[in-house]
Amino acid sequence: MFVAWRDMRFATGRFVLIGAVVALITLLVGFLSGLTAGLANQNISAITGLGASSIVLAAPADGEQATFADSAIDADAATTWAAVPGVDGVQELGISQTRMTTDDARTSVALFGISGDAVPGRAAEVPADGTASLSRTAAEALHVSRGDTVSIGGSELAVGSVVDDQWYSHTPVVWTSLSEWRSLQAAQGSPGDGATALAITGNPSADAVTGAEQATGTVSKDVLSSLLAIGSFRSEIGSLLLMVAMLFGISALVIGAFFTVWTMQRAGDVAILKALGATTRRLSLDALGQALVLLVLGVGLGIGITAALGSAAGTALPFVLSPLTTLVPGVIMIALGLIGAAFALRSILSADPLTALGGNR
């Protein structure tokens, strides 16, 4: 890396500028990744937090996709699923989005009614009838704490507890018993003794699942697939992931263009070294080593700034700061940058040294 080190030492300003560009691109990709993860979490955390093996929804019409919004499952279907060999437990889950109020505040909430004695996947009891467990964000918006009273559609509930935030379709979750959920639905003109979905635990065979689906008019999805049944998540996550992918592509093109210019500027030096016997492999490693140093420094700076801004954002933005939103994008940026640099070197380093010398001297 003799030529590469000398190039970086005697052209410090140029390399600082390009390193800053790499850092800014990394910041953009990392921050968008963190926001994407944060927005996704505010769509799905209540479903992923159930700890279920699969989610059962009402079967949609032909050509349509099952959704939580359109799903309705009766009590007989829950009984049938509970009898399927390999199913360890079935909990009926009622989901609706409504408005919760107090005397001086109101907020939109996702009302989750759950059957049984405990919320699956969480160390929490199902609230007693007439009470509700509020996510912390909902409790703060309503200025209530345990023992206070809240109202949904004219029906009053006591706040039994305030729990860690759970989200569904960008609204904080409020937990009630399934019977209380049904009562609240009936009070708002939607009577019934069913549920929105079933949370299944266990590992039934594929044949048993197919038989239960046909007998009950339902579809069973693993938890990850069931997330696409949340309308806001399905429409949002595709757009955000496309933006992240396009930024990765743009970063590869930009970094590749920078290294193309650098390699062309060093064409004379490369030609002399090849004329003196330097192999193409060693010259390629020299240039790629230079690119790697710049990428590591630039990406490292970008990740550091992303982490600082993400920590400072706190609860002001739905931002998730984790290795998945910082280190993983950084590694991808380095890999794409090296690929771009490799393509930039290809035509220059394969040139005949005498031709290169004649064209540059």
Side-chain angles (χ1 to χ4, degrees), residues 214-235:
Q214 294 174 348
T216 58
T218 58
V219 291
S220 174
K221 297 177 176 289
D222 60 78
V223 175
L224 185 61
S225 298
S226 73
L227 301 179
L228 295 177
I230 303 174
S232 59
F233 176 75
R234 186 172 63 250
S235 60

Side-chain angles (χ1 to χ4, degrees), residues 187-339:
Q188 298 180 51
S190 301
D193 60 353
T196 302
L198 304 177
I200 306 293
T201 54
N203 188 28
S205 66
D207 291 340
V209 169
T210 300
E213 289 177 338
Q214 294 174 348
T216 58
T218 58
V219 291
S220 174
K221 297 177 176 289
D222 60 78
V223 175
L224 185 61
S225 298
S226 73
L227 301 179
L228 295 177
I230 303 174
S232 59
F233 176 75
R234 186 172 63 250
S235 60
E236 185 178 87
I237 197 66
S239 300
L240 290 171
L241 290 178
L242 178 61
M243 291 172 63
V244 173
M246 290 178 67
L247 280 175
F248 280 130
I250 291 170
S251 67
L253 289 174
V254 171
I255 295 171
F258 286 145
F259 284 114
T260 298
V261 174
W262 293 346
T263 304
M264 292 176 65
Q265 291 177 339
R266 291 172 52 195
D269 296 331
V270 170
I272 292 172
L273 291 173
K274 292 190 72 174
L276 292 174
T279 63
T280 299
R281 176 177 175 275
R282 294 189 68 89
L283 290 172
S284 298
L285 291 176
D286 177 78
L288 288 176
Q290 181 189 69
L292 180 61
V293 170
L294 285 172
L295 287 168
V296 169
L297 292 176
V299 169
L301 178 60
I303 290 175
I305 297 174
T306 301
L309 292 178
S311 300
T315 58
L317 293 173
F319 189 89
V320 172
L321 186 62
S322 70
L324 187 63
T325 60
T326 53
L327 297 181
V328 171
V331 171
I332 294 175
M333 286 283 296
I334 292 173
L336 290 176
L338 288 176
I339 292 172

